């Protein structure tokens, strides 16, 4: 996993949680498929040994599951790894597709108080880039990164849908607190099955979905 092939991009999502909720399952499946279609690789790193991969992900050959952390995997290639960091001084640009081979998505862990893993990686020397001011879902962040570095479309030229209102039924709707890529139909691009999951569990609150 640590060897970098010339021109090939790898998208790495750190998953340090002992569990994997239905929201993440759909996101990871979508990222794996889209990465494959783009000629790229997708890896989950720092996966706890005790985590049982759901059946929906077990048969996705494009998904690489790594118990090792990115610090170990790319110890000798840190300069080719880009950390997607909301606090970075520079925004991601098409030129970064030439500068980096690996794009790393950290996150805030479920500890109490939360531990900012992105900050930890920043302090360990990974170079950072921003994806703009509005929070994205994990699959959207990877999708936007791929569009920028592989399709060479600048961040400000991508069409987005911010905080879309999703219709749950004839009487209820819910506003999603994220930015999405706008699809050809004008609707936010979401993983297959995500809209049904949101409708099914809307009464529980989003905290139960991740």
């Amino acid at each position: 996993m640590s060897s970098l092939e010339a021109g090939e991009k790898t998208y790495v999502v750190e998953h340090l949680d002992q569990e994997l909720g239905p929201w993440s399952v759909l996101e990871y499946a979508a990222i794996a498929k889209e990465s494959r279609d783009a000629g790229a690789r997708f890896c989950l790193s720092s996966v706890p040994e005790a985590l049982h991969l759901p059946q929906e992900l077990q048969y996705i050959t494009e998904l690489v599951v790594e118990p090792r952390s990115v610090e170990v995997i790319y110890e000798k290639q840190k300069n080719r790894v880009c950390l997607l960091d909301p606090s970075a001084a520079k925004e991601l640009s098409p030129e970064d597709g030439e500068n980096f081979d690996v794009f790393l998505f950290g996150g805030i862990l479920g500890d109490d108080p939360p531990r900012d893993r992105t900050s930890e990686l920043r302090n360990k020397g990974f170079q950072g880039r921003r994806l703009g001011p509005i929070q994205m879902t994990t699959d959207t962040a990877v999708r936007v990164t791929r569009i920028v570095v592989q399709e060479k479309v600048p961040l400000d030229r991508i069409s987005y849908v911010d905080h879309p209102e999703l219709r749950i039924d004839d009487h209820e709707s819910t506003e999603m607190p994220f930015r999405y890529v706008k699809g050809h139909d004008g609707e936010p691009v979401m993983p297959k099955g995500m809209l049904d999951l949101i409708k099914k569990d809307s009464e529980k609150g989003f905290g139960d979905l991740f």
Side-chain angles (χ1 to χ4, degrees), residues 5 8 18 61 74 111 124 131 135 152 185 191 197:
E5 298 181 18
E8 184 180 55
Q18 296 288 341
T61 57
Y74 298 110
D111 301 349
K124 291 186 177 181
L131 288 176
Q135 184 180 3
K152 304 299 183 184
D185 59 358
L197 178 63

Side-chain angles (χ1 to χ4, degrees), residues 78-96:
K78 188 180 294 185
N79 66 314
R80 301 297 297 175
V81 179
C82 175
L83 173 65
L84 281 302
D85 179 0
S87 299
K90 295 178 64 176
E91 291 201 333
L92 189 72
S93 69
E95 292 73 28
D96 288 318

Side-chain angles (χ1 to χ4, degrees), residues 6-80:
E8 184 180 55
K9 302 305 178 194
T10 300
Y11 301 100
V12 180
V13 173
E14 285 220 302
H15 187 92
L16 301 100
D17 201 323
Q18 296 288 341
E19 298 181 355
L20 208 166
W23 181 295
S24 296
V25 170
L26 294 181
E27 288 190 324
Y28 294 165
I31 295 169
K33 179 182 183 304
E34 292 178 18
S35 297
R36 177 202 64 197
D37 292 346
R41 296 193 292 180
F42 174 47
C43 171
L44 292 178
S45 67
S46 300
V47 177
E49 297 280 4
L51 177 65
H52 179 69
L53 206 63
Q55 189 171 4
E56 298 96 318
L57 297 180
Q58 290 180 8
Y59 302 105
I60 299 180
T61 57
E62 300 83 15
L63 173 63
V64 177
V65 178
E66 264 282 0
R68 296 179 296 169
S69 69
V70 291
E71 297 99 317
V72 174
I73 299 172
Y74 298 110
E75 180 182 7
K76 298 180 180 179
Q77 301 156 314
K78 188 180 294 185
N79 66 314
R80 301 297 297 175

